[in-house]
Each structure stands twice: as C-alpha cells, then as structure tokens.
Amino acid sequence: MITKRPSHERGHFDHGWLDTRHTLLVRALHDPRYTSFRDLLVINEDRVQPSRGFPTHSHDNMEIISYVLEGRSSIATVSGTARSSARATSSGLSAGTGVTHSEFNPSATEPVHFLQIWVTPDEQDLKPSYEPADHRPGRATDTLRLVAAKDGGDDAVTIHQDARGLREPDHRRRKPRAQAGSGATRVDPGHRGVLKLNGLSLTSGDGAAVSDEGQLRLDALAPSHLVLFELA
C-alpha cells in the first residue's frame, strides 16, 4: 500500500526569515493523519534567510538529521563549539538526555535550504552526540547512497534506531525486497524532477508512505533527487 502526501497539502509556515513545509509533524497542526509514520516523526523542508537562524533551544530523546540541499548551515553547541555543513552533507544529533544549541545560516547573501528529520530513538536517555557526514559526488560508488543508519558507516551518520535513510539523485533504479517492508519516501522540491514509485507519479515536494509492498520500483522520468527511509 502506498499513501501519497502531495506537496501542496503539507503544513506551511512563512515567518519571513524561515519558510518551512512539513510532510510530517509531531503536533497535528494541519492534519492528524500526518503526525508520524512508524518511528519517523518529522520531515521539515526549511529555507532560512541569510544571517538568520533558530535561536538557542533544547532537545531530548530524539535522533535529529539535518540534510543540506543548498547553501550552508551551522550548528553551535551550548559549549560554544560551531560546526558547519555544506551542500550534500548531513549531520546527526542524538539528543539523548538533553542538548542545548542554535542553528543558523552563516552566509550574509545566500539562503540555506535543508531537510530536518526526527526519528524516535530505540533507547531513552542516551549520552548526547553529534556527527557530520559528507555525501558529495565521488565519495561512494553505489548509486543508492546511505545518509543515516543504526550502525552508521561510510558517509552516513549513526542513529539509535532500526532505520536507514538513503538518497538517490538523478538515476533510475529498481529496489527489490526479500519480504514486505515499510518506508516513507520524499522528493527534494529543489529539483523539478518527476518520479514514478511502483507506477505512482511523484513530483517536487511530494511524499509517500509505503507498507507491505513486495518491491519498490523507482523510475526517474527527469533528473530527480529522492530521499528514502527504511523503517522497522
């Protein structure tokens, strides 16, 4: 079964400095059907204006993945350490017992465009940690690129959950499955691609929740950028 979440139905807030669109959101601000999908709680597409950002705030017991599509973002920890992520990179923040940080766009001229993804951890009150990863072309040979996984790995951040996040830019691929599984997929709205997922058309910004499909076939009808989540 595949349930499509069209781009235009996403939750949308424009705060001037932040334009954010929510495929999934913990709080049912728009539609209670899209508050989560299994252990996947949040998929936000954020655009932050130059020299602006999220002020100091706190998280706990959450696995947070930030995936930069365009521009550059920076995360400052409560200790004062700043880490920067550029296009085609991601970072994983395991909030665990609690972290306090800020996120901002360090550019004075260019906006930053990124996805923020929240996943429920498989254990509460873990030790907080932060991990960057680089997914730029040339770092791996496989078309389907790992972004995040329970055991991490080359070019992937570690998350404390039986889940994997993968990306597949500009390619056509069949992904077989040995048994029925589940997942959620999302098309990067920064690329005007058109995909077919088991025959279902997906355009920029669309999402789809997948359960009990024997296999997934992805057909790219135009250059596209897909982010795929495999969930227990």
Side-chain angles (χ1 to χ4, degrees), residues 59 62-66 91-95 101 116-119:
H59 300 283
M62 193 64 61
E63 305 295 296
I64 301 173
I65 304 164
S66 294
S91 62
L93 176 65
S94 182
H101 72 157
Q116 185 160 113
I117 300 148
W118 293 10
V119 177

Side-chain angles (χ1 to χ4, degrees), residues 45-48 67-71 111-115 188-190:
E45 177 206 354
D46 290 342
R47 287 181 171 86
V48 178
Y67 182 76
V68 179
L69 299 168
E70 300 286 346
V112 62
H113 179 199
F114 69 101
L115 301 179
D188 165 19

Side-chain angles (χ1 to χ4, degrees), residues 17-96:
W17 66 271
L18 167 68
D19 187 287
T20 180
R21 298 176 187 272
H22 304 153
T23 301
L24 295 175
L25 189 62
V26 177
R27 296 177 298 277
L29 299 179
H30 287 273
D31 192 326
R33 296 174 298 171
Y34 299 105
T35 54
S36 66
F37 183 72
R38 300 186 186 272
D39 291 309
L40 186 62
L41 296 183
V42 167
I43 308 175
N44 289 353
E45 177 206 354
D46 290 342
R47 287 181 171 86
V48 178
Q49 293 301 307
S51 303
R52 300 296 300 271
F54 300 89
T56 301
H57 58 284
S58 299
H59 300 283
D60 63 73
N61 291 311
M62 193 64 61
E63 305 295 296
I64 301 173
I65 304 164
S66 294
Y67 182 76
V68 179
L69 299 168
E70 300 286 346
R72 180 178 292 274
S73 69
S74 292
I75 295 177
T77 67
V78 68
S79 63
T81 302
R83 299 177 174 90
S84 182
S85 296
R87 180 181 178 182
T89 63
S90 67
S91 62
L93 176 65
S94 182

Side-chain angles (χ1 to χ4, degrees), residues 11 29 78 102 104 124 187 218 227:
L29 299 179
V78 68
S102 62
F104 60 95
Q124 296 287 290
V187 180
L218 301 173
V227 179

Side-chain angles (χ1 to χ4, degrees), residues 121-142:
D122 58 10
E123 185 177 344
Q124 296 287 290
D125 297 329
L126 294 164
K127 181 180 178 180
S129 63
Y130 175 88
E131 183 180 8
D134 188 342
H135 316 294
R136 285 173 290 188
R139 293 292 300 269
T141 58
D142 196 339

